[in-house]
């Protein structure tokens, strides 16, 4: 199947690398809104300007749209769905229903199939929530994120005057995680589930105490959390904090029995060295499903909830039954 | 949707209780090959002899077949699939392809839809293996079982002369689990992943040392494992070891990047107070999917791999997108 990448940031690079892992996939090209001459792929793959994409209609089986959820995807995905089967990783949870409707209308108009909000959250974590809630209707869900870099929180620190650079890790609080894993179904706010670790580089002469206070009292981002601020050098930040690790856990505690006397815990966890590369790996696996389901006649928008798991696998039905079931 | 239970052991009881958790389900009856007068349900539900089942054709939307995989299900499931949509929990992994084919032929002949091998392994663990392998093609899978009661191993101990009763727990070895979770992808035999804890009641005058040796050297069951044997009283066995807890983890460690430099771990874990009640909860959630997919025209045999996750949920598409994705 022929894959195209639209947008070449960290996620696009991850898609470029992930397609190499699948023998049944071929990367047709990278499409960029920048000057294609300034884009240098990691592997031997052609780069085109975004306006060249229309020439590839019918030549790309699935386009993977790698853009930001704030402003890019709400416009890009519906536009591109008119001409291409595609996948995006739209992750602004509260706007998913609206995004779904816009993409659904565009895909139905174009006779294409579009998977929105793939990745790990939304994506694999959503699947874990849905399976667990369906199986244990009497229960309670918890999502923990981290230990991982939050781009939004890192950016918020960088906007403080006197801050040169910063990296923020969201870290699950061990005691909260242990209580949930033990099936105690505690009541927990987001702030009681996570703490925030900040590594901050400041300008010469800037006041660390003032900056630490400004971080710790920042509404929405930090005020409701246990927040640690560590001042380090730019060299240390680059050496120790330039990766993009992430992960987390979705846990459901539920009960069965005549009187709810038996407790069960279902947990799905991820520990990721590279958030964008793993997210890209999910998108690429789903590309196989989208191409197959379109070939079966399906059009419109879909979510990961609509995709039979078998559609993701390169194995035949016989191999799946014999080796995976 | 109208549910029927065929076979009333621990699993059948679990199904009886689980259907009460779903507002859109109604339990039509329990069908037993025993004398129905000797079967006493936990709740207010009619009990019929197995031969009465033919009268319920068209009155049951999904039959949940609760029998053993060794001799019951290979015969029962193909027979019943001629007249009913159904679900079984056939778990003899190596015979799944043959079982699938027989059930598929029967279901196609009868115009019914039959889900085989649902539960947690096979079932949810199979899904975890399939999703993880599709997303991280370059990686390695591990399945750990326990801490949980193994019926087969408990039975094997009970067959030793001088043994009154016994309970065997399969227990993951912590150091092996830690190595896998750390993404070290070690080479491990089943015996290096699990140890076996045996609680044994012996007859007066029986030789504990001889029995312990007999257990520890039993081929296939114990010889390849670190095995602990604890002799206890019948009272203690009943008080402390009458539950049916189980669980386990499916873990895949995989790599991405230009040169596999980023490691990722995907883990799906269960911790269950009651193995049969949890298994039953999985079967009942899938009953919803089977009824819906049959209504869409699907016939034949399917596995959990063929079922879109959305089919399991009582939520509407709008609710799913807004709350679960």
């Amino acid at each position: 199947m022929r894959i195209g990448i639209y947008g070449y940031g960290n996620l696009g690079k991850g898609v470029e690398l992930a397609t190499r892992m699948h023998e049944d996939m071929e990367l047709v090209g990278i499409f960029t809104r920048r000057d294609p001459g300034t884009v240098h792929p990691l592997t031997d793959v052609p780069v085109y300007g975004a306006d060249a994409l229309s020439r590839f209609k019918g030549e790309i089986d699935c386009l993977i749209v790698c853009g930001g959820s704030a402003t890019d995807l709400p416009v890009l995905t519906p536009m591109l769905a008119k001409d291409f089967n595609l996948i995006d990783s739209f992750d602004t949870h509260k706007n998913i229903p609206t995004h779904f409707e816009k993409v659904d209308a565009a895909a139905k108009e174009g006779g294409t199939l579009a998977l929105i909000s793939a990745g790990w959250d939304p994506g694999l974590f959503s699947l874990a929530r849905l399976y667990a809630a369906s199986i244990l209707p009497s229960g309670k869900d918890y999502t923990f994120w981290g230990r991982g870099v939050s781009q939004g929180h890192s950016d918020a620190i960088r906007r403080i005057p006197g801050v040169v650079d910063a990296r923020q890790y969201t870290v699950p609080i061990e005691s909260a995680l242990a209580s949930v894993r033990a099936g105690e179904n505690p009541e927990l706010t987001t702030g009681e589930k996570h703490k925030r670790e900040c590594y901050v580089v400041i300008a010469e002469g800037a006041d660390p105490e003032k900056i630490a206070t400004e971080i710790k009292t920042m509404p929405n981002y930090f005020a409701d959390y246990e927040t640690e601020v560590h001042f380090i050098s730019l060299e240390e930040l680059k050496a120790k904090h330039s990766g993009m690790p992430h992960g987390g856990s979705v846990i459901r505690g539920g009960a069965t029995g005549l009187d709810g006397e038996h407790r069960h815990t279902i947990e799905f966890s991820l520990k990721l060295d590279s958030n964008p590369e793993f997210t890209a790996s999910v998108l690429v696996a789903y590309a196989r499903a989208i191409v197959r389901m379109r070939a079966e006649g399906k059009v419109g928008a879909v979510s990961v909830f609509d995709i039979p798991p078998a559609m993701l696998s390169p194995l035949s039905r016989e191999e799946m039954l014999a080796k995976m079931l």
Side-chain angles (χ1 to χ4, degrees), chain A:
Chain A
M1 42 197 78
R2 298 162 300 175
I3 308 294
I5 295 173
Y6 191 101
Y8 193 67
N10 287 324
L11 185 60
K13 287 177 188 170
V15 171
E16 178 189 8
L17 297 176
T19 51
R20 299 188 312 164
M21 317 274 264
H22 298 275
E23 285 174 15
D24 54 352
M25 295 187 189
E26 176 206 342
L27 189 54
V28 174
I30 292 164
F31 298 85
T32 177
R33 286 163 297 171
R34 290 178 273 165
D35 171 2
T38 65
V39 169
H40 304 290
L42 299 165
T43 64
D44 184 25
V45 55
V47 181
Y48 304 97
D51 51 0
L53 188 60
S54 57
R55 290 195 277 121
F56 286 84
K57 194 170 167 170
E59 308 289 318
I60 289 173
D61 298 312
C62 186
L63 190 63
I64 302 190
V65 188
C66 303
S69 295
T71 54
D72 287 350
L73 297 178
V75 177
L76 281 179
T77 309
M79 180 187 88
L80 297 168
K82 285 182 187 145
D83 294 314
F84 295 94
N85 302 319
L86 60 76
I87 296 178
D88 81 10
S89 59
F90 184 79
D91 67 358
T92 312
H93 286 263
K94 72 176 184 336
N95 296 338
I96 285 175
T98 311
H99 187 61
F100 186 93
E101 278 188 32
K102 277 163 54 188
V103 177
D104 190 49
K108 280 179 175 151
E109 188 191 321
T112 65
L113 183 60
L115 170 63
I116 65 150
S117 302
W120 61 273
D121 194 3
L124 301 183
F125 273 20
S126 320
L127 287 173
R129 287 188 280 263
L130 189 82
Y131 277 114
S134 303
I135 289 162
L136 293 177
S138 164
K140 198 163 156 54
D141 268 344
Y142 297 85
T143 303
F144 288 88
W145 292 275
R147 187 177 194 259
V149 172
S150 163
Q151 218 51 62
H153 289 80
S154 301
D155 288 343
I157 301 172
R158 283 188 208 106
R159 284 193 294 265
I160 297 173
V163 170
V164 173
D165 203 351
R167 189 60 53 110
Q168 193 266 187
Y169 295 91
T170 305
V171 185
I173 293 174
E174 275 304 324
S175 57
L177 201 49
S179 166
V180 169
R181 282 189 176 139
E184 293 167 3
N185 285 12
E187 291 292 333
L188 296 168
T189 63
T190 310
E192 289 167 336
K193 288 194 295 178
H194 301 95
K195 61 181 178 179
R196 304 203 170 279
E197 265 177 41
C198 312
Y199 295 85
V200 185
V201 181
I202 54 174
E204 236 185 273
D207 178 355
E209 211 157 307
K210 189 164 162 277
I211 288 174
T213 305
E214 214 164 323
I215 293 172
K216 290 180 182 181
T217 57
M218 198 185 295
N220 302 319
Y221 285 90
F222 296 99
D224 303 332
Y225 296 84
E226 182 187 328
T227 300
E228 290 173 16
V229 179
H230 306 275
F231 293 100
I232 60 174
S233 68
L234 191 59
E235 292 66 42
E236 189 178 346
L237 189 83
K238 283 183 179 161
K240 294 188 186 162
H241 303 284
S242 62
M244 282 173 280
H246 220 309
S249 300
V250 171
I251 307 175
R252 187 175 181 89
T256 64
L258 247 185
D259 200 27
E261 67 274 24
H262 294 131
R263 304 207 54 80
H264 310 284
T265 308
I266 304 176
E267 175 166 356
F268 179 77
S269 294
L270 295 172
K271 208 169 65 203
L272 313 174
D273 273 0
S274 165
N275 185 358
E277 286 182 8
F278 184 80
T279 302
S281 299
V282 177
L283 303 187
V284 169
Y286 271 102
R288 181 178 290 118
I290 289 306
V291 174
R292 287 173 172 176
M293 288 171 77
R294 179 64 196 89
E296 289 183 355
K298 180 99 180 155
V299 298
V302 291
S303 78
V304 292
F305 297 150
D306 302 306
I307 316 271
M311 289 282 177
L312 299 181
S313 175
L315 300 180
S316 69
R317 166 187 289 276
E318 290 67 32
E319 289 171 313
M320 263 185 264
L321 290 178
K323 294 178 188 170
M324 309 291 278
L325 197 62

